[in-house]
Amino acid sequence: MSDVLQQLAEVLEERKGADPDSSYVAKLYAKGLDAILKKIGEEATETVMAAKDGVAEKIVYEMADLWFHSMVLLAQQGLGPDDVLRELQRRFGLSGLEEKANRSR
């Protein structure tokens, strides 16, 4: 499944050079960081609302939107899914409490 993330990352990278009138993602890039962050905030809120409703299909749908827009942010910042996956791998095997304590040092 991580192949899907890599494929999406490649498409998002390609969209950086696209005409904003031809692509939703290119339009987001053209609007800049604040527009991307606003969209992530909207999608996070919709994900929370879907979770409160408890309908699995809605949760998955909204989470896909949140992941998508988070990946737009990563690409805009010159990052990709592998960067996040490496961080998750680094944390693997640490307790959440231990990881959090390490952040405050």
Side-chain angles (χ1 to χ4, degrees):
M1 279 297 193
S2 65
D3 289 347
V4 171
L5 295 178
Q6 190 56 45
Q7 290 170 349
L8 177 56
E10 290 168 11
V11 170
L12 294 175
E13 200 60 39
E14 291 170 8
R15 296 294 192 270
K16 285 183 176 180
D19 178 354
D21 291 332
S22 70
S23 161
Y24 169 75
V25 171
K27 189 175 290 191
L28 270 178
Y29 288 144
K31 289 181 178 180
L33 180 61
D34 286 346
I36 295 168
L37 296 175
K38 180 180 177 188
K39 195 64 187 164
I40 290 172
E42 290 170 6
E43 297 303 341
T45 299
E46 290 172 6
T47 301
V48 168
M49 291 169 39
K52 293 289 278 181
D53 289 344
V55 178
E57 294 82 15
K58 287 173 68 175
I59 296 168
V60 170
Y61 182 89
E62 296 301 341
M63 187 64 70
D65 281 351
L66 180 56
W67 283 18
F68 175 85
H69 288 91
S70 295
M71 288 196 51
V72 170
L73 172 65
L74 287 172
Q76 192 263 353
Q77 295 290 310
L79 300 165
D82 286 343
D83 296 298
V84 177
L85 293 173
R86 274 192 295 277
E87 176 59 15
L88 290 172
Q89 182 64 44
R90 184 191 69 78
R91 294 179 188 187
F92 196 82
L94 290 176
S95 77
L97 296 175
E98 181 181 4
E99 197 282 325
K100 188 173 182 178
N102 287 339
R103 280 190 256 161
S104 63
R105 292 180 193 179

XYZ file of all heavy atoms in Angstrom:
816
model
N 0.801 -1.197 0.000
C 0.000 0.000 0.000
C 0.846 1.265 0.000
O 0.381 2.292 -0.470
C -0.933 0.023 1.200
C -2.168 -0.794 1.007
S -3.144 -0.148 -0.344
C -4.633 -1.007 -0.078
N 2.064 1.213 0.557
C 2.875 2.425 0.550
C 3.240 2.842 -0.867
O 3.642 3.986 -1.088
C 4.123 2.273 1.419
O 4.973 1.286 0.885
N 3.090 1.922 -1.826
C 3.288 2.287 -3.237
C 2.304 3.376 -3.641
O 2.643 4.259 -4.429
C 3.105 1.074 -4.149
C 4.243 0.072 -4.033
O 5.287 0.400 -3.441
O 4.075 -1.041 -4.534
N 1.096 3.332 -3.127
C 0.091 4.345 -3.440
C 0.572 5.707 -2.943
O 0.432 6.719 -3.647
C -1.280 3.987 -2.810
C -2.253 5.127 -2.943
C -1.832 2.724 -3.431
N 1.153 5.743 -1.759
C 1.668 6.996 -1.231
C 2.797 7.532 -2.116
O 2.861 8.729 -2.391
C 2.160 6.817 0.203
C 1.118 6.465 1.255
C 1.782 6.267 2.619
C 0.038 7.519 1.331
N 3.668 6.644 -2.563
C 4.770 7.062 -3.426
C 4.251 7.553 -4.773
O 4.714 8.564 -5.288
C 5.781 5.926 -3.618
C 7.049 6.379 -4.291
C 7.741 7.527 -3.563
O 7.891 7.518 -2.339
N 8.146 8.545 -4.293
N 3.277 6.860 -5.336
C 2.689 7.283 -6.607
C 2.028 8.652 -6.450
O 2.178 9.520 -7.314
C 1.669 6.258 -7.100
C 2.293 4.966 -7.562
C 1.244 3.876 -7.808
O 0.079 4.013 -7.444
N 1.676 2.787 -8.421
N 1.307 8.839 -5.364
C 0.674 10.126 -5.116
C 1.729 11.218 -4.963
O 1.591 12.312 -5.513
C -0.217 10.060 -3.877
C -0.898 11.358 -3.463
C -1.730 11.948 -4.590
C -1.749 11.130 -2.224
N 2.809 10.925 -4.239
C 3.885 11.899 -4.059
C 4.470 12.321 -5.408
O 4.762 13.503 -5.622
C 4.974 11.327 -3.156
N 4.612 11.377 -6.318
C 5.142 11.691 -7.645
C 4.193 12.605 -8.414
O 4.623 13.571 -9.050
C 5.418 10.407 -8.419
C 6.586 9.620 -7.855
C 6.703 8.206 -8.421
O 6.011 7.881 -9.414
O 7.490 7.425 -7.851
N 2.901 12.308 -8.349
C 1.911 13.154 -9.027
C 1.909 14.556 -8.419
O 1.877 15.559 -9.147
C 0.497 12.527 -8.956
C -0.564 13.502 -9.427
C 0.444 11.246 -9.773
N 1.961 14.648 -7.098
C 1.968 15.954 -6.438
C 3.199 16.759 -6.835
O 3.123 17.977 -7.012
C 1.897 15.789 -4.921
C 0.596 15.189 -4.378
C 0.697 14.976 -2.879
C -0.603 16.035 -4.738
N 4.312 16.088 -6.991
C 5.539 16.755 -7.423
C 5.375 17.290 -8.856
O 5.763 18.425 -9.144
C 6.710 15.770 -7.338
C 8.065 16.411 -7.291
C 8.277 17.342 -6.114
O 7.821 17.065 -4.995
O 8.941 18.376 -6.324
N 4.774 16.484 -9.726
C 4.530 16.908 -11.108
C 3.621 18.129 -11.164
O 3.792 19.006 -12.015
C 3.894 15.775 -11.914
C 4.813 14.611 -12.189
C 4.074 13.412 -12.769
O 2.869 13.532 -13.102
O 4.705 12.339 -12.878
N 2.667 18.189 -10.275
C 1.692 19.287 -10.278
C 2.312 20.626 -9.903
O 1.731 21.673 -10.141
C 0.521 18.990 -9.343
C -0.337 17.806 -9.731
C -1.080 18.055 -11.041
N -2.099 17.070 -11.282
C -1.930 15.920 -11.937
N -0.735 15.609 -12.395
N -2.927 15.098 -12.116
N 3.500 20.604 -9.305
C 4.162 21.859 -8.936
C 4.378 22.748 -10.159
O 4.343 23.962 -10.042
C 5.496 21.591 -8.247
C 5.355 21.111 -6.822
C 6.722 20.932 -6.201
C 6.623 20.539 -4.746
N 7.948 20.362 -4.145
N 4.593 22.140 -11.315
C 4.839 22.914 -12.525
C 3.617 23.091 -13.398
O 3.703 23.656 -14.490
N 2.475 22.618 -12.945
C 1.255 22.667 -13.758
C 0.587 24.035 -13.676
O 0.758 24.778 -12.708
C 0.280 21.574 -13.316
N -0.189 24.316 -14.681
C -0.995 25.537 -14.728
C -2.076 25.436 -13.651
O -2.813 24.448 -13.600
C -1.624 25.656 -16.113
C -2.521 26.872 -16.274
O -2.772 27.596 -15.287
O -2.984 27.091 -17.404
N -2.194 26.452 -12.791
C -3.210 26.408 -11.730
C -4.636 26.225 -12.249
O -5.478 25.714 -11.523
C -3.051 27.759 -11.027
C -1.646 28.149 -11.287
C -1.319 27.617 -12.658
N -4.888 26.620 -13.483
C -6.226 26.434 -14.048
C -6.476 25.003 -14.498
O -7.612 24.644 -14.798
C -6.446 27.393 -15.226
C -6.527 28.842 -14.776
O -6.944 29.087 -13.622
O -6.159 29.717 -15.574
N -5.415 24.188 -14.523
C -5.559 22.817 -15.026
C -5.586 21.768 -13.928
O -5.849 20.600 -14.195
C -4.403 22.494 -15.977
O -3.182 22.381 -15.248
N -5.308 22.163 -12.674
C -5.153 21.176 -11.606
C -5.521 21.779 -10.250
O -5.059 22.877 -9.909
C -3.693 20.704 -11.573
O -3.358 20.093 -10.351
N -6.317 21.046 -9.509
C -6.679 21.459 -8.145
C -5.426 21.635 -7.292
O -5.286 22.623 -6.564
C -7.613 20.410 -7.524
C -7.844 20.592 -6.055
C -8.683 21.599 -5.582
C -7.220 19.776 -5.120
C -8.893 21.785 -4.224
C -7.421 19.951 -3.762
C -8.256 20.957 -3.317
O -8.453 21.135 -1.968
N -4.498 20.677 -7.385
C -3.286 20.731 -6.582
C -2.413 21.911 -7.012
O -1.883 22.635 -6.165
C -2.508 19.396 -6.659
C -1.143 19.504 -6.002
C -3.317 18.279 -6.006
N -2.284 22.123 -8.306
C -1.501 23.269 -8.784
C -2.110 24.571 -8.280
O -1.392 25.513 -7.916
C -1.427 23.255 -10.310
N -3.429 24.627 -8.219
C -4.114 25.814 -7.705
C -3.800 26.005 -6.214
O -3.558 27.124 -5.761
C -5.620 25.693 -7.925
C -6.383 26.965 -7.620
C -7.845 26.833 -7.975
C -7.960 26.776 -9.490
N -9.327 26.901 -9.982
N -3.780 24.904 -5.449
C -3.412 24.997 -4.033
C -1.979 25.506 -3.873
O -1.714 26.380 -3.048
C -3.545 23.640 -3.343
C -4.866 23.281 -2.710
C -4.804 21.873 -2.121
C -5.294 24.270 -1.654
N -1.058 24.950 -4.669
C 0.325 25.408 -4.614
C 0.411 26.898 -4.921
O 1.133 27.640 -4.264
C 1.204 24.644 -5.600
C 1.516 23.215 -5.243
C 1.619 22.253 -6.241
C 1.746 22.805 -3.937
C 1.926 20.941 -5.950
C 2.052 21.494 -3.632
C 2.148 20.567 -4.645
O 2.453 19.266 -4.359
N -0.326 27.340 -5.926
C -0.291 28.748 -6.335
C -0.827 29.662 -5.234
O -0.354 30.785 -5.066
C -1.076 28.948 -7.628
N -1.793 29.184 -4.483
C -2.365 29.986 -3.397
C -1.412 30.080 -2.208
O -1.538 30.984 -1.386
C -3.707 29.410 -2.946
C -4.811 29.616 -3.964
C -6.113 29.035 -3.448
C -7.251 29.251 -4.416
N -8.506 28.683 -3.907
N -0.529 29.106 -2.080
C 0.494 29.173 -1.045
C 0.198 28.375 0.212
O -0.835 27.713 0.343
N 1.129 28.491 1.125
C 1.107 27.697 2.360
C -0.156 27.903 3.172
O -0.745 26.931 3.655
C 2.342 28.034 3.210
C 2.472 27.297 4.537
C 2.553 25.787 4.316
C 3.684 27.798 5.297
N -0.602 29.139 3.334
C -1.784 29.383 4.166
C -3.010 28.661 3.636
O -3.808 28.121 4.414
C -2.064 30.883 4.298
C -1.084 31.576 5.233
O -0.360 30.886 5.977
O -1.039 32.821 5.208
N -3.182 28.621 2.316
C -4.332 27.923 1.724
C -4.242 26.420 1.967
O -5.248 25.767 2.263
C -4.416 28.213 0.226
N -3.034 25.885 1.871
C -2.837 24.455 2.121
C -3.130 24.136 3.588
O -3.831 23.162 3.901
C -1.409 24.026 1.724
C -1.214 24.175 0.207
C -1.124 22.587 2.168
C 0.229 24.064 -0.248
N -2.627 24.959 4.485
C -2.867 24.745 5.919
C -4.344 24.867 6.267
O -4.865 24.082 7.072
C -2.043 25.728 6.744
C -0.527 25.578 6.637
C 0.169 26.697 7.399
C -0.073 24.206 7.106
N -5.022 25.823 5.657
C -6.458 25.982 5.887
C -7.200 24.719 5.458
O -8.094 24.236 6.157
C -6.983 27.192 5.124
C -8.459 27.423 5.322
C -8.948 28.633 4.545
C -10.454 28.783 4.726
N -11.007 29.805 3.851
N -6.813 24.164 4.307
C -7.470 22.953 3.810
C -7.222 21.776 4.752
O -8.134 20.989 5.024
C -6.974 22.652 2.388
C -7.826 21.676 1.665
C -9.221 22.226 1.451
C -10.105 21.158 0.862
N -11.515 21.455 0.949
N -6.008 21.663 5.273
C -5.714 20.589 6.227
C -6.578 20.754 7.478
O -7.120 19.776 7.995
C -4.220 20.550 6.583
C -3.424 20.064 5.374
C -3.960 19.658 7.795
C -1.929 20.158 5.554
N -6.723 21.975 7.952
C -7.577 22.232 9.116
C -9.013 21.827 8.861
O -9.661 21.209 9.712
N -9.527 22.168 7.682
C -10.898 21.789 7.323
C -11.046 20.274 7.287
O -12.023 19.722 7.816
C -11.267 22.367 5.953
C -11.427 23.860 5.922
C -11.555 24.409 4.511
O -11.639 23.631 3.536
O -11.570 25.645 4.373
N -10.085 19.610 6.665
C -10.162 18.149 6.546
C -10.014 17.467 7.904
O -10.668 16.456 8.170
C -9.121 17.626 5.553
C -9.299 18.122 4.131
C -10.655 17.825 3.513
O -11.384 16.935 4.007
O -11.001 18.488 2.521
N -9.180 18.024 8.772
C -9.038 17.456 10.126
C -10.354 17.568 10.885
O -10.782 16.615 11.548
C -7.916 18.172 10.874
N -11.010 18.717 10.752
C -12.304 18.906 11.414
C -13.344 17.935 10.868
O -14.102 17.331 11.643
C -12.780 20.362 11.234
O -11.818 21.226 11.840
C -14.145 20.585 11.864
N -13.375 17.762 9.562
C -14.325 16.818 8.957
C -14.035 15.383 9.395
O -14.965 14.591 9.592
C -14.296 16.954 7.442
C -14.894 18.266 6.969
C -14.708 18.529 5.484
O -14.213 17.646 4.754
O -15.061 19.643 5.050
N -12.752 15.060 9.587
C -12.383 13.720 10.063
C -12.878 13.509 11.482
O -13.433 12.451 11.809
C -10.856 13.531 9.975
O -10.435 13.700 8.616
C -10.439 12.151 10.460
N -12.716 14.518 12.321
C -13.199 14.432 13.706
C -14.714 14.242 13.719
O -15.247 13.400 14.461
C -12.787 15.693 14.507
C -13.518 15.772 15.833
C -11.275 15.722 14.710
N -15.422 15.013 12.898
C -16.881 14.910 12.856
C -17.311 13.523 12.365
O -18.267 12.940 12.909
C -17.455 16.019 11.975
C -17.288 17.390 12.624
S -17.626 18.841 11.580
C -19.008 18.361 10.624
N -16.610 12.991 11.374
C -16.938 11.651 10.876
C -16.716 10.607 11.969
O -17.526 9.683 12.134
C -16.102 11.324 9.636
N -15.644 10.763 12.718
C -15.369 9.821 13.808
C -16.450 9.899 14.877
O -16.872 8.871 15.419
C -13.988 10.094 14.408
N -16.905 11.109 15.172
C -17.980 11.259 16.151
C -19.264 10.587 15.667
O -20.007 10.039 16.466
C -18.251 12.745 16.435
C -17.119 13.454 17.154
C -16.971 13.043 18.576
C -17.962 13.788 19.425
N -17.861 13.446 20.837
N -19.503 10.625 14.345
C -20.678 9.959 13.779
C -20.540 8.441 13.842
O -21.538 7.730 13.864
C -20.898 10.384 12.326
C -21.370 11.820 12.199
O -21.818 12.398 13.212
O -21.284 12.375 11.078
N -19.289 7.952 13.831
C -19.041 6.524 13.962
C -19.347 5.691 12.733
O -19.477 4.473 12.833
N -19.433 6.323 11.570
C -19.700 5.586 10.332
C -18.368 5.318 9.646
O -17.696 6.254 9.186
C -20.656 6.370 9.401
C -20.888 5.620 8.110
C -21.966 6.664 10.125
N -17.979 4.048 9.582
C -16.652 3.672 9.086
C -16.350 4.259 7.712
O -15.250 4.772 7.481
C -16.526 2.150 9.050
N -17.311 4.197 6.799
C -17.070 4.689 5.434
C -16.768 6.185 5.436
O -15.909 6.657 4.680
C -18.266 4.399 4.523
C -18.514 2.927 4.275
C -19.297 2.241 5.400
O -19.906 2.935 6.258
O -19.277 0.992 5.427
N -17.471 6.938 6.273
C -17.237 8.382 6.363
C -15.865 8.676 6.959
O -15.168 9.595 6.530
C -18.332 9.056 7.191
C -19.672 9.154 6.492
C -20.772 9.667 7.403
C -20.570 11.108 7.791
N -21.722 11.638 8.576
N -15.497 7.892 7.955
C -14.185 8.080 8.581
C -13.084 7.851 7.551
O -12.157 8.660 7.422
C -14.005 7.141 9.790
C -15.008 7.492 10.885
C -12.570 7.206 10.325
C -15.108 6.453 11.989
N -13.177 6.768 6.818
C -12.165 6.448 5.810
C -12.117 7.524 4.730
O -11.037 7.977 4.330
C -12.422 5.054 5.193
C -11.538 4.815 3.980
C -12.207 3.967 6.251
N -13.278 7.967 4.272
C -13.352 8.989 3.232
C -12.679 10.281 3.695
O -11.845 10.864 2.979
C -14.818 9.243 2.871
C -14.997 10.251 1.761
C -15.013 9.847 0.437
C -15.145 11.609 2.047
C -15.171 10.769 -0.591
C -15.297 12.542 1.033
C -15.313 12.113 -0.282
O -15.459 13.027 -1.293
N -13.014 10.725 4.880
C -12.450 11.982 5.392
C -10.964 11.837 5.715
O -10.182 12.760 5.507
C -13.233 12.484 6.599
C -14.668 12.864 6.302
C -14.825 13.959 5.247
O -13.854 14.699 4.961
O -15.941 14.092 4.713
N -10.576 10.668 6.224
C -9.156 10.444 6.502
C -8.347 10.461 5.208
O -7.228 10.990 5.173
C -8.966 9.116 7.240
C -7.553 8.884 7.720
S -6.975 10.071 8.963
C -7.956 9.601 10.362
N -8.914 9.918 4.139
C -8.231 9.964 2.839
C -8.028 11.412 2.405
O -6.955 11.783 1.907
C -9.019 9.186 1.792
N -9.042 12.256 2.603
C -8.903 13.675 2.276
C -7.811 14.326 3.130
O -7.007 15.119 2.628
C -10.222 14.424 2.498
C -11.223 14.224 1.378
O -10.864 13.654 0.329
O -12.381 14.664 1.561
N -7.783 13.989 4.407
C -6.778 14.559 5.306
C -5.375 14.118 4.904
O -4.450 14.936 4.840
C -7.085 14.167 6.756
C -6.125 14.683 7.820
C -6.001 16.199 7.787
C -6.586 14.206 9.195
N -5.206 12.840 4.621
C -3.898 12.347 4.179
C -3.484 13.023 2.881
O -2.341 13.425 2.723
C -3.935 10.839 3.986
C -3.878 10.023 5.247
C -4.124 10.438 6.525
C -3.565 8.644 5.334
N -3.987 9.387 7.395
C -3.651 8.275 6.698
C -3.248 7.678 4.405
C -3.399 6.989 7.140
C -3.006 6.382 4.838
C -3.079 6.048 6.192
N -4.426 13.127 1.940
C -4.124 13.736 0.646
C -3.598 15.159 0.846
O -2.535 15.529 0.325
C -5.372 13.753 -0.241
C -5.164 14.466 -1.538
C -4.621 13.813 -2.623
C -5.501 15.811 -1.667
C -4.405 14.476 -3.819
C -5.296 16.485 -2.856
C -4.744 15.816 -3.943
N -4.333 15.955 1.597
C -3.924 17.345 1.776
C -2.659 17.460 2.624
O -1.856 18.380 2.424
C -5.085 18.169 2.332
C -6.145 18.389 1.313
N -7.216 17.524 1.163
C -6.276 19.329 0.348
C -7.961 17.943 0.170
N -7.422 19.032 -0.351
N -2.438 16.525 3.521
C -1.184 16.492 4.276
C -0.019 16.194 3.338
O 1.069 16.761 3.484
C -1.243 15.447 5.391
O -2.221 15.814 6.347
N -0.261 15.348 2.366
C 0.787 15.045 1.390
C 1.054 16.236 0.472
O 2.186 16.450 0.041
C 0.451 13.783 0.610
C 0.612 12.563 1.499
S 0.704 10.997 0.646
C 1.951 11.249 -0.564
N 0.024 17.023 0.181
C 0.235 18.258 -0.582
C 1.178 19.163 0.201
O 2.126 19.735 -0.355
C -1.102 18.971 -0.890
C -0.856 20.360 -1.470
C -1.961 18.139 -1.838
N 0.947 19.289 1.511
C 1.824 20.091 2.357
C 3.249 19.554 2.335
O 4.205 20.317 2.177
C 1.301 20.128 3.794
C 2.239 20.786 4.813
C 2.428 22.264 4.507
C 1.711 20.587 6.214
N 3.389 18.247 2.502
C 4.732 17.659 2.474
C 5.444 18.018 1.171
O 6.599 18.460 1.191
C 4.656 16.133 2.623
C 4.317 15.589 4.004
C 4.084 14.086 3.932
C 5.403 15.921 5.006
N 4.766 17.828 0.054
C 5.380 18.113 -1.245
C 5.735 19.595 -1.364
O 6.816 19.946 -1.855
C 4.445 17.689 -2.376
N 4.846 20.446 -0.908
C 5.086 21.886 -0.984
C 6.330 22.267 -0.180
O 7.056 23.188 -0.528
C 3.845 22.641 -0.486
C 3.842 24.125 -0.780
C 4.329 24.971 0.386
O 4.568 24.494 1.489
N 4.482 26.253 0.127
N 6.587 21.521 0.876
C 7.731 21.777 1.756
C 8.987 21.000 1.338
O 9.994 21.014 2.050
C 7.366 21.428 3.195
C 6.277 22.300 3.788
C 6.754 23.720 4.030
O 7.794 23.931 4.629
N 5.997 24.683 3.537
N 8.910 20.284 0.211
C 10.064 19.521 -0.255
C 10.262 18.209 0.480
O 11.358 17.663 0.508
N 9.187 17.699 1.053
C 9.220 16.439 1.794
C 8.298 15.432 1.124
O 7.563 15.781 0.207
C 8.777 16.670 3.242
C 9.621 17.657 4.041
C 8.907 18.081 5.311
C 10.981 17.059 4.347
N 8.326 14.194 1.611
C 7.457 13.176 1.047
C 7.088 12.137 2.077
O 7.520 12.200 3.240
N 6.320 11.157 1.646
C 5.855 10.130 2.590
C 6.996 9.339 3.221
O 6.886 8.926 4.375
C 4.940 9.244 1.751
C 5.299 9.514 0.337
C 5.808 10.920 0.297
N 8.089 9.155 2.509
C 9.211 8.412 3.089
C 9.786 9.115 4.311
O 10.244 8.459 5.246
C 10.307 8.176 2.049
C 9.922 7.111 1.030
O 8.976 6.330 1.297
O 10.566 7.061 -0.035
N 9.748 10.440 4.309
C 10.233 11.183 5.474
C 9.382 10.864 6.702
O 9.912 10.656 7.794
C 10.209 12.688 5.189
C 11.161 13.063 4.075
O 12.374 12.857 4.229
O 10.670 13.545 3.042
N 8.081 10.819 6.518
C 7.172 10.512 7.625
C 7.307 9.051 8.031
O 7.343 8.724 9.227
C 5.714 10.848 7.256
C 4.761 10.470 8.381
C 5.569 12.326 6.908
N 7.414 8.169 7.051
C 7.562 6.741 7.356
C 8.854 6.468 8.121
O 8.864 5.647 9.048
C 7.492 5.914 6.075
C 6.126 5.909 5.385
C 6.213 5.210 4.023
C 5.062 5.270 6.254
N 9.924 7.172 7.765
C 11.182 7.011 8.524
C 10.999 7.450 9.974
O 11.513 6.817 10.896
C 12.307 7.804 7.862
C 13.019 7.055 6.752
C 14.307 7.748 6.321
N 14.048 9.047 5.713
C 13.709 9.229 4.435
N 13.584 8.193 3.639
N 13.499 10.443 3.971
N 10.272 8.544 10.185
C 10.037 9.006 11.552
C 9.185 8.000 12.331
O 9.452 7.714 13.500
C 9.372 10.388 11.547
C 9.000 10.909 12.918
C 10.162 11.060 13.893
O 11.345 11.045 13.478
O 9.889 11.187 15.100
N 8.172 7.446 11.673
C 7.359 6.420 12.338
C 8.203 5.191 12.656
O 8.063 4.598 13.736
C 6.160 6.045 11.470
C 5.080 7.110 11.349
C 4.049 6.696 10.305
C 4.413 7.383 12.684
N 9.079 4.814 11.736
C 9.969 3.666 11.979
C 10.889 3.949 13.164
O 11.114 3.078 13.999
C 10.799 3.369 10.727
C 11.723 2.173 10.871
C 10.970 0.880 11.076
O 9.986 0.625 10.389
N 11.405 0.062 11.995
N 11.392 5.181 13.251
C 12.266 5.549 14.364
C 11.536 5.387 15.696
O 12.101 4.948 16.690
C 12.735 6.998 14.201
C 13.731 7.446 15.283
C 13.959 8.951 15.260
N 12.794 9.715 15.685
C 12.405 9.893 16.944
N 13.057 9.309 17.937
N 11.341 10.639 17.235
N 10.261 5.722 15.698
C 9.472 5.654 16.928
C 9.011 4.239 17.259
O 8.602 3.968 18.380
C 8.220 6.524 16.803
C 8.520 7.986 16.694
C 7.238 8.747 16.560
N 7.454 10.147 16.272
C 6.489 11.036 16.233
N 5.237 10.676 16.492
N 6.754 12.283 15.950
N 9.040 3.348 16.293
C 8.544 1.990 16.497
C 9.311 1.320 17.614
O 10.534 1.356 17.662
C 8.668 1.179 15.202
C 7.856 -0.069 15.213
C 6.508 -0.024 14.923
C 8.421 -1.290 15.514
C 5.742 -1.168 14.924
C 7.670 -2.445 15.527
C 6.328 -2.376 15.227
N 8.603 0.747 18.536
C 9.235 0.059 19.656
C 9.407 0.949 20.877
O 9.734 0.458 21.950
N 9.208 2.261 20.705
C 9.230 3.165 21.852
C 7.815 3.253 22.405
O 6.854 3.281 21.646
C 9.645 4.579 21.425
C 11.066 4.839 20.994
C 11.212 6.287 20.535
C 12.033 4.570 22.136
N 7.710 3.349 23.690
C 6.382 3.603 24.230
C 6.026 5.047 23.917
O 6.908 5.895 23.748
C 6.348 3.365 25.739
O 6.944 4.460 26.421
N 4.759 5.334 23.826
C 4.319 6.700 23.576
C 4.797 7.654 24.650
O 5.166 8.797 24.375
N 4.806 7.183 25.870
C 5.266 8.026 26.981
C 6.760 8.320 26.856
O 7.203 9.442 27.091
C 4.968 7.357 28.322
C 3.482 7.161 28.649
C 3.328 6.371 29.940
C 2.770 8.496 28.732
N 7.522 7.303 26.469
C 8.974 7.486 26.302
C 9.262 8.443 25.148
O 10.086 9.344 25.269
C 9.619 6.122 26.035
C 11.119 6.161 25.873
C 11.703 4.779 25.576
O 10.932 3.808 25.417
O 12.935 4.696 25.500
N 8.545 8.286 24.036
C 8.755 9.153 22.879
C 8.430 10.598 23.232
O 9.171 11.519 22.896
C 7.896 8.681 21.696
C 8.325 9.241 20.348
C 7.877 10.664 20.109
O 6.778 11.026 20.571
O 8.616 11.430 19.465
N 7.337 10.806 23.944
C 6.936 12.154 24.339
C 7.965 12.758 25.289
O 8.306 13.941 25.170
C 5.541 12.126 24.979
C 4.972 13.489 25.229
C 3.543 13.418 25.697
C 2.993 14.812 25.897
N 1.606 14.815 26.303
N 8.469 11.979 26.213
C 9.480 12.480 27.153
C 10.749 12.876 26.412
O 11.397 13.867 26.762
C 9.785 11.413 28.200
N 11.116 12.132 25.366
C 12.304 12.441 24.587
C 12.154 13.766 23.837
O 13.148 14.436 23.565
C 12.611 11.318 23.591
C 13.149 10.089 24.278
O 13.661 10.152 25.399
N 13.043 8.957 23.606
N 10.940 14.156 23.476
C 10.722 15.398 22.756
C 10.996 16.624 23.616
O 11.377 17.653 23.113
C 9.250 15.496 22.264
C 9.017 14.711 21.018
C 7.656 15.062 20.475
N 6.759 13.958 20.786
C 5.460 14.023 20.803
N 4.841 15.140 20.540
N 4.720 12.961 21.078
N 10.779 16.522 24.919
C 10.915 17.683 25.785
C 12.356 17.935 26.201
O 12.635 18.881 26.910
C 10.013 17.531 27.011
O 10.419 16.402 27.771
N 13.257 17.096 25.750
C 14.675 17.273 26.130
C 15.377 18.168 25.174
O 15.119 18.377 24.081
C 15.384 15.930 26.141
C 14.874 15.049 27.245
C 15.572 13.740 27.238
N 14.820 12.856 28.111
C 15.141 11.627 28.324
N 16.183 11.105 27.747
N 14.425 10.880 29.121
